[in-house]
Amino acid sequence: KDEVFINRIKAKTPFKKNLEFVLSIPGEHNALNALSVLALIYGVGLLKEGVWEHFRTFSGVKRRQEVIYSNEN
């Protein structure tokens, strides 16, 4: 995946003081959605260490933010 579209997220949370992880889809709204998901799974007791890999490899939903043209120049 193109590094241009990578979100590097840093936050202070109840479960990790200096949380840092990578989200594979762009945009502040997507970063906020990811943090909301983390809050939810933490709140219901389902937060596991391997969750970070899922955020890094999540490709989004088909036809949402799909790159249909890229000028190599």
Side-chain angles (χ1 to χ4, degrees):
K1 205 162 225 236
D2 192 338
E3 284 289 318
V4 171
F5 296 115
I6 298 295
N7 263 334
R8 298 193 191 286
I9 300 167
K10 296 180 182 180
K12 292 181 181 175
T13 68
F15 53 88
K16 193 167 183 180
K17 193 171 209 160
N18 294 310
L19 173 68
E20 292 187 39
F21 67 99
V22 173
L23 181 63
S24 63
I25 52 179
E28 181 180 355
H29 59 286
N30 286 323
L32 293 172
N33 286 343
L35 289 170
S36 296
V37 168
L38 284 174
L40 174 69
I41 61 177
Y42 172 75
V44 296
L46 296 175
L47 184 64
K48 298 190 179 355
E49 190 59 36
V51 72
W52 317 115
E53 181 66 16
H54 296 289
F55 284 108
R56 190 184 68 72
T57 60
F58 179 66
S59 61
V61 179
K62 185 173 175 72
R63 297 181 54 133
R64 296 278 298 153
Q65 298 180 327
E66 182 178 357
V67 177
I68 56 174
Y69 174 78
S70 177
N71 185 351
E72 296 295 322
N73 298 325

